[in-house]
Amino acid sequence: MKKLVALFTSLIMALSFASAVGAAPAAPPLEIYVNDKLITFKEDKPVKENGTTLVPVRMLLEQLDFELEWHQESQVATATSVNPRHQLVISLQIGNDTAYVNGKPQKLLLAPKKINQRTYVPLRFIVEQSGYQIDWNEQLNRISIDTILESKGFMWKAEKNGNVVYLLGSIHVASEAMYPLRDELNEAFDTADYLAVEVNTSVEKPGLGDYIEDLATYKDGTTLRNHVSAELYEALVELLEEIGAPANALDHLEPWYVSMIVDSLSAEDSEFEAELGIDLHFMNKAKKANIPIMELESYESQLQMFNDFSDRLQEQFLYGSLYKYYQEEDSVEDLSEMWITGDVDALTDMADEVQADEEYYNAVLRDRNLLMAQKINGFLTGSNPATFFVVVGALHMVGEHGLVTLLEEMGYTVTQV
């Protein structure tokens, strides 16, 4: 079931320099690009003062997805981001070298000023506060501004008698687009004495492969063909033949495990990878920082859950995996976008929709949530105060039987961070 992923990234930059006798040629006019689009400033050109580039605030912020409000009496410009991934309000005042970002003061290299009746502000400050990155090509006299918005994620906090628990809803497979994470997530992790996850996937589990094979193999004389519809079985055979595998290669296995195998085939061309998963990201950070990693569950308990599902539900799993294999869109995209934007309402709707299948909902969410909540309660009632950073699947957090609700029913105040 292991998938070996190699990420090769290469960047080759070639700079050519030429010497000339006599006077140096004039530098080309300054150009500013936002996500590869050239900004046309017309007569209100950017200017440089003491090495700091100043630009007309309105023209720049409109390019960065902000709405601008000007207060004539106070000479204050207030910019509000309209991008749902980056809730931000920036206030700047003419002649004042202190700006306010979401109400917090920030020092400027130069104060905003009026030039030809236009308000000019320091370019780099605005860009970096807005969740973008900035690059300057000295040769071309070109400034490039590119999107680098932080993912919001889903995080809550509960406290009792000096014990602190941060609850982070994770996505087990993720893409590069989900990084970097917002500062609050990393800052909360940095305070942790312990990391708690569903299962510690950052370490090898000797004998796990043999355990799974034994658990998922029919021992009653039946085969996969006896437990799924003829149409579904034929669809699987077609896929196996398509990839050059024997038609009966998976006959000895139960549908839930065959479903996982098909999912692994789908993942080969997907941008979403377990190696980029949010939980594994923090497990790797914990290992580097020598923070103990605790497990709320085990591989065995999770696998046994799948093995205990009825033939009906296992057949649905396999049908869904085969369907996903031939789809161009990745089924993880919706959940990924919810995580990036921190859309708790959409996440809650998704958790509620899962209740449509009672067997699946009870086993995958409700029953497991009850056990997890009991262990988290133990963290909060420990006699030696400590901080726990708990990372489990995002769907475990919300809804009628979510961890947030269960902890609130235990009497805890749980606040979203």
Side-chain angles (χ1 to χ4, degrees):
M1 291 182 64
K2 295 179 183 176
K3 177 189 169 195
L4 301 178
V5 178
L7 300 176
F8 296 98
T9 305
S10 61
L11 177 63
I12 302 174
M13 302 182 66
L15 298 177
S16 301
F17 297 90
S19 299
V21 178
L30 176 65
E31 293 181 329
I32 298 178
Y33 285 79
V34 175
N35 289 330
D36 298 324
K37 179 183 177 182
L38 176 64
I39 301 178
T40 304
F41 287 98
K42 299 180 181 179
E43 68 274 7
D44 300 316
K45 304 295 184 185
V47 299
K48 278 194 175 182
E49 289 190 10
N50 300 324
T52 298
T53 301
L54 298 170
V55 295
V57 64
R58 183 175 297 278
M59 189 165 290
L60 173 66
L61 288 172
E62 287 176 351
Q63 295 293 327
L64 301 181
D65 295 325
F66 279 80
E67 290 180 348
L68 188 67
E69 186 177 355
W70 172 251
H71 305 273
Q72 180 63 32
E73 186 174 345
S74 61
Q75 296 285 285
V76 170
T78 301
T80 303
S81 175
V82 296
N83 191 317
R85 286 184 59 181
H86 205 71
Q87 295 175 358
L88 194 68
V89 178
I90 302 175
S91 294
L92 307 107
Q93 186 177 38
I94 299 295
N96 190 342
D97 64 0
T98 297
Y100 289 85
V101 180
N102 288 343
K104 297 180 180 179
Q106 300 280 347
K107 202 72 172 173
L108 301 172
L109 291 175
L110 283 177
K113 63 189 302 182
K114 286 278 191 179
I115 301 177
N116 298 328
Q117 300 305 309
R118 297 285 189 270
T119 300
Y120 277 65
V121 296
L123 173 67
R124 180 173 292 276
F125 173 83
I126 296 295
V127 169
E128 292 181 346
Q129 292 298 325
S130 304
Y132 290 75
Q133 61 183 2
I134 186 169
D135 234 2
W136 179 46
N137 186 313
E138 184 176 7
Q139 270 193 304
L140 299 177
N141 201 21
R142 175 182 297 172
I143 293 173
S144 299
I145 300 168
D146 296 296
T147 304
I148 184 170
L149 297 177
E150 299 173 339
S151 288
K152 291 183 178 179
F154 308 107
M155 187 166 71
W156 291 262
K157 180 182 180 181
E159 299 178 78
K160 183 174 182 178
N161 297 335
N163 293 299
V164 178
V165 168
Y166 288 99
L167 299 164
L168 180 66
S170 170
I171 295 183
H172 302 312
V173 292
S175 67
E176 292 283 3
M178 296 179 68
Y179 296 91
L181 310 181
R182 62 184 170 102
D183 291 343
E184 289 85 352
L185 306 187
N186 293 313
E187 289 168 359
F189 174 81
D190 290 340
T191 67
D193 300 300
Y194 300 93
L195 171 66
V197 294
E198 294 176 32
V199 176
N200 186 357
T201 58
S202 68
V203 296
E204 293 288 336
K205 300 283 186 178
L208 179 62
D210 292 337
Y211 173 82
I212 297 173
E213 186 80 12
D214 180 68
L215 184 68
T217 297
Y218 287 112
K219 301 178 180 65
D220 59 0
T222 63
T223 67
L224 180 65
R225 185 193 293 267
N226 303 119
H227 295 268
V228 299
S229 69
E231 293 78 11
L232 181 58
Y233 183 81
E234 288 303 318
L236 176 65
V237 168
E238 288 181 15
L239 185 152
L240 292 173
E241 291 176 344
E242 181 181 314
I243 64 174
N248 64 348
L250 304 177
D251 277 10
H252 62 295
L253 299 174
E254 297 183 23
W256 68 267
Y257 188 34
V258 177
S259 172
M260 290 184 175
I261 294 172
V262 175
D263 284 343
S264 70
L265 296 174
S266 300
E268 290 179 359
D269 297 322
S270 173
E271 64 177 305
F272 297 94
E273 304 172 5
E275 288 79 3
L276 294 172
I278 303 302
D279 36 7
L280 187 56
H281 169 79
F282 282 106
M283 282 184 246
N284 290 333
K285 289 189 67 171
K287 289 172 70 175
K288 290 180 181 179
N290 292 318
I291 295 175
I293 301 176
M294 309 168 69
E295 292 186 319
L296 299 176
E297 300 181 309
S298 67
Y299 274 118
E300 291 78 7
S301 66
Q302 290 190 351
L303 292 167
Q304 189 63 55
M305 174 190 68
F306 285 104
N307 192 65
D308 289 343
F309 282 137
S310 65
D311 279 358
R312 174 197 65 83
L313 189 52
Q314 291 193 38
E315 185 175 20
Q316 286 184 10
F317 284 160
L318 181 53
Y319 177 85
S321 297
L322 287 169
Y323 179 81
K324 183 174 66 175
Y325 179 83
Y326 291 104
Q327 297 304 301
E328 293 184 4
E329 294 185 0
D330 200 307
S331 60
V332 186
E333 287 181 2
D334 288 344
L335 185 56
S336 172
E337 186 61 23
M338 291 177 202
W339 205 90
I340 290 171
T341 60
D343 192 340
V344 176
D345 290 338
L347 181 70
T348 303
D349 289 342
M350 181 178 285
D352 290 342
E353 289 171 3
V354 175
Q355 292 195 52
D357 191 307
E358 185 176 2
E359 179 188 0
Y360 178 81
Y361 178 78
N362 288 345
V364 174
L365 291 181
R366 193 195 65 175
D367 295 347
R368 292 171 65 199
N369 289 351
L370 288 170
L371 295 175
M372 290 183 191
Q374 291 171 9
K375 292 190 176 183
I376 294 169
N377 180 55
F379 298 160
L380 288 165
T381 55
S383 56
N384 296 317
T387 298
F388 299 82
F389 194 80
V390 177
V391 184
V392 298
L395 286 176
H396 290 287
M397 295 295 176
V398 295
E400 182 183 359
H401 302 101
L403 291 175
V404 172
T405 299
L406 292 176
L407 290 173
E408 288 175 339
E409 290 175 352
M410 291 178 181
Y412 296 105
T413 299
V414 185
T415 56
Q416 190 172 359
V417 181

